[in-house]
């Protein structure tokens, strides 16, 4: 689409917006519409007239994660698990099979949905961040403003982190686009159709948000649904383990701060368990959970329908094939290691009415979201603790790294790693990757582990031959496979964006 056509589209959209402005429902509570300050002589817009409006908008940010799980949870599991060796796509739909057989292109509807949803989330966060210091009645102190802002910064950094790992060069937008008029259409173009920032610039923006947020975010409480200092620390540990920002000493430092704040490994039942008598999750806010999204009886979490049975309503939505079916290669890894504990926490077998990958009378399903009342654990201590082990391996401190890995293995009732493994850096790194794979299966980590440690070609080009259940490989993994394609509809709408190499 050329620039002239885009201008015309903007103008039409602007006129349509004006034409529809009288068609609205009365509002009796604060929404994200803009308030006008009638005490001003000009047309200055006031987004937040008072503290109540700030609280309402912040809750909207939290609610966004809870209500719109497709892009940050459902699709991330598809990408991280079925696009790696952990799982098959599960169903035969054209939107999911390309992640299994490596035939993704810019027309994929999952990729398009994710880009658009992430950009909407960024806009939601930006409106809060830009306006939090302009509360009309002056009811917030500077420190209170910073605490509110920090939570939105953590939210925005989570989005950018997901985006940069998926697509590399992405637009880093920190402003709010002005309403379009005939007078400002030229300058509005860049705001509505931004260019991409480099990967390094994206990580720098994430780092800046988090370094400010870690100072001002709420301190840790028993409520693990809040964007606290430890959520910021977990994200900092994760971004410092990534290219091109890699700083393993900072990974260690931030994980140590999380440990010092009282986090520790918990029982798997407290993480993923379901109580059949109460028809509820066994526990929420475990001592291992850093950030979780909670679903109470009566509200429910629809995402469980996509992966298996909803144990709170056993036959609900179980008439169609599910996404993210555990792979034979992952099952074999658990069995080779004698890892019964984590296998049973990660995979469950049911009879079903389809046989896409296994016989229908004993079909495996992902088991880490067991009911509509279970929490989705976004970040947990075992993940960042293992990242510390990775950092120690990189720093040559093999014995210290082995101690952490063995701590994780001990909870899974597995013996310590053999000395022949722990004394060799390459062997220990391989064992570490297996440990993360068994520990964090179906939590959206595997693909990004392979990318971070440059293992995509080595692992993924070999798995098709040894895993008889996978769909045939359509394209070989190469140096261009580490990033996803930008959605073609987005490219068509914005000629400032450039497609990633290889697509």
């Amino acid at each position: 689409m050329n620039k002239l056509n885009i201008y015309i589209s903007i103008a039409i959209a602007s006129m349509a917006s004006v034409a529809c402005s009288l068609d609205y429902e009365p509002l009796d509570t604060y929404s994200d519409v803009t308030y006008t300050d009638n005490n001003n002589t000009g047309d200055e817009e006031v987004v937040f007239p008072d503290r109540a409006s700030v609280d309402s908008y912040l809750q909207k940010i939290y609610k966004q994660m809870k209500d719109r799980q497709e892009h940050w949870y459902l699709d991330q599991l598809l990408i991280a698990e079925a696009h790696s060796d952990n799982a098959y796509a599960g169903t035969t739909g054209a939107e999911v099979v390309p992640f299994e057989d490596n035939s993704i292109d810019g027309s994929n509807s999952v990729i398009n949905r994710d880009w658009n949803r992430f950009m909407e989330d960024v806009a939601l966060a930006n409106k809060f961040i830009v306006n939090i210091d302009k509360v009309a009645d002056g009811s917030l102190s500077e420190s209170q403003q910073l605490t509110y802002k920090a939570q939105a910064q953590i939210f925005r950094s989570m989005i950018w982190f997901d985006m940069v790992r998926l697509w590399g060069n992405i637009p880093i937008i920190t402003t709010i686009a002005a309403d379009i008029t005939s007078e400002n259409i030229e300058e509005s173009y860049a705001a509505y159709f931004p260019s991409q920032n480099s990967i390094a610039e994206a990580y720098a923006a994430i780092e800046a948000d988090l370094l400010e947020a870690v100072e001002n975010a709420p301190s840790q409480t028993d409520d693990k649904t809040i964007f606290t200092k430890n959520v910021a620390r977990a994200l900092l540990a994760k971004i410092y383990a990534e290219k091109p920002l890699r700083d393993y000493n900072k990974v260690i430092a931030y994980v140590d701060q999380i440990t010092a704040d009282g986090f520790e490994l918990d029982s798997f039942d407290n993480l993923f368990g379901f109580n059949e008598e109460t028809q509820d999750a066994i526990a929420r806010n475990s001592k291992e959970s850093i950030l979780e999204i909670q679903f109470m009886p009566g509200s429910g979490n629809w995402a469980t329908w996509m992966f298996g049975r909803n144990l709170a309503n056993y036959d609900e939505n179980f008439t169609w094939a599910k996404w993210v079916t555990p792979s034979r290669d992952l099952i074999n890894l658990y069995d080779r290691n004698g890892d019964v504990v984590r296998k049973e926490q990660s995979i469950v077998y049911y009879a079903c009415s389809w046989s896409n990958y296994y016989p229908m009378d004993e079909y495996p399903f992902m088991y880490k979201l067991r009911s509509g009342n279970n929490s989705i654990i976004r970040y947990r201590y075992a993940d960042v603790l293992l990242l510390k082990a990775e950092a120690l391996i990189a720093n040559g401190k093999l014995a210290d790294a082995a101690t952490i890995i063995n701590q994780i293995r001990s909870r899974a009732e597995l013996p310590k790693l053999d000395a022949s493994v722990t004394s060799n850096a390459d062997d220990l790194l391989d064992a570490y990757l297996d440990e993360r794979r068994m520990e964090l299966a179906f939590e959206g980590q595997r693909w990004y582990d392979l990318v971070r440690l440059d293992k995509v070609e080595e692992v993924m080009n070999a798995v098709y031959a040894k895993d008889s259940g996978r769909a045939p490989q359509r394209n070989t993994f190469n140096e261009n496979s580490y990033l996803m394609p930008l959605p073609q509809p987005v490219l068509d709408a914005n000629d400032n964006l450039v497609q990633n190499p290889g697509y």
Side-chain angles (χ1 to χ4, degrees), residues 60-114:
K60 177 173 182 169
I61 289 176
Y62 281 108
K63 191 172 185 294
Q64 185 91 337
M65 287 187 60
K66 188 170 184 177
D67 291 349
R68 303 184 72 184
Q69 304 159 39
E70 293 100 326
H71 57 305
W72 69 262
Y73 183 64
L74 174 67
D75 294 349
Q76 288 301 296
L77 288 190
L78 177 68
I79 294 166
E81 310 297 335
H83 195 47
S84 76
D85 48 354
N86 272 3
Y88 314 127
T91 187
T92 57
E95 77 276 23
V96 298
V97 170
F99 291 92
E100 179 183 349
D101 66 15
N102 196 30
S103 62
I104 307 166
D105 60 33
S107 67
N108 187 273
S109 62
V110 170
I111 294 295
N112 188 54
R113 170 173 65 197
D114 292 350

Side-chain angles (χ1 to χ4, degrees), residues 385-420:
L385 186 61
L386 282 168
L387 283 180
K388 179 181 176 181
E390 180 181 315
L392 291 167
I393 294 171
N395 288 349
K397 298 181 179 180
L398 304 188
D400 291 339
T403 297
I404 291 175
I405 296 171
N406 286 331
Q407 180 184 354
I408 299 290
R409 289 174 64 83
S410 176
R411 178 178 55 176
E413 301 177 10
L414 294 180
K416 294 180 178 180
L417 294 172
D418 191 87
S420 63

Side-chain angles (χ1 to χ4, degrees), residues 230 233-234 251-265 287 290 381-382 384-386 388 404 407:
N230 284 309
R233 289 168 182 149
V251 174
I252 294 169
Y254 281 111
V255 175
D256 285 347
Q257 289 178 33
I258 294 170
T259 303
D261 228 0
F263 287 83
E264 57 185 272
L265 300 180
K287 57 189 177 183
I290 298 174
Y381 182 60
V384 295
L385 186 61
L386 282 168
K388 179 181 176 181
I404 291 175
Q407 180 184 354

